[in-house]
Amino acid sequence: MYLGDATWPEAGDHLAEESLAVVPVGSTEQHGPHLPLSTDHVIAEGLARAAADRADLLCTPTVNIGVSPHHRQFHGTMSVDAPVFRDYMESLSRSLVYQGIDRIVYVNAHGGNVEHLREVGRRLHEDDAAYAVEWMWDESIPELVDDCFDQNGPHAGPKETSMVWHIADLVREGELEAARDGGLRDIESAGVTRNGARLFYDSIENADNGAFGDPTDASAEKGERLFEAACEQLIELCTWLDAQPWETLGPRDHVRERSEER
């Protein structure tokens, strides 16, 4: 069930039977000259809604803007400060807890959100409110991603291009070569780290047009393969999480009980 399309009585009927919700989370940021600013939230929502439809899960509306200060130099990028994002996501999650949800899967498609969503999950777990996990689609199918592309790239590369091509057909095909040639095609040889230290803060320091990898290797057919495999992984995760007894998910007691007499 997509919560945004339901009436409140319909939502109530579904919530009476459900303890798990999927929350798609993305960003609105540059993805090179060939992909829309909506890339991350298009992917997150596409996967979350497909999984919800196929497995009868509860899917919330999408969080479209995330933590993206490292793309700020490019037109149209929108971002919120990390503490604000964490507080917002925690508050949103607690509103689900109030409705009876105690398991949440953040269907995330933006790397800048990862650590903050995990922190929100830790907060909710710490006070026994909910068990919330961050899930990134490409991290669920790393072997397939590697098999599909020779030069993938972490951002605006062929994996994201293929996914958007399959989900929404928003790829600017005429800009694929420009994205490759004006960006950073091979990040492994770019010298972005030294002696274990990361040497950059913003995307523009490494790619003048904000693209990484070789998007000319992308296709809608590859996007469909990635989408179906990732969706299957998401459904398996949600099915497993929904079946776990709360006793195995909630916070554990301290290993030593403190004496009441001091």
Side-chain angles (χ1 to χ4, degrees), residues 179-231:
R180 178 197 62 197
D181 298 340
L184 179 59
R185 184 173 183 176
D186 183 9
I187 195 169
E188 297 297 328
S189 62
V192 296
T193 63
R194 180 178 291 274
N195 302 106
R198 176 170 157 167
L199 302 179
F200 67 95
Y201 287 95
D202 297 331
S203 293
I204 201 169
E205 296 172 37
N206 296 314
D208 290 339
N209 67 5
F212 296 78
D214 182 4
T216 65
D217 195 21
S219 70
E221 292 75 21
K222 289 180 180 179
E224 183 177 13
R225 288 181 62 197
L226 297 174
F227 185 91
E228 292 301 322
C231 190

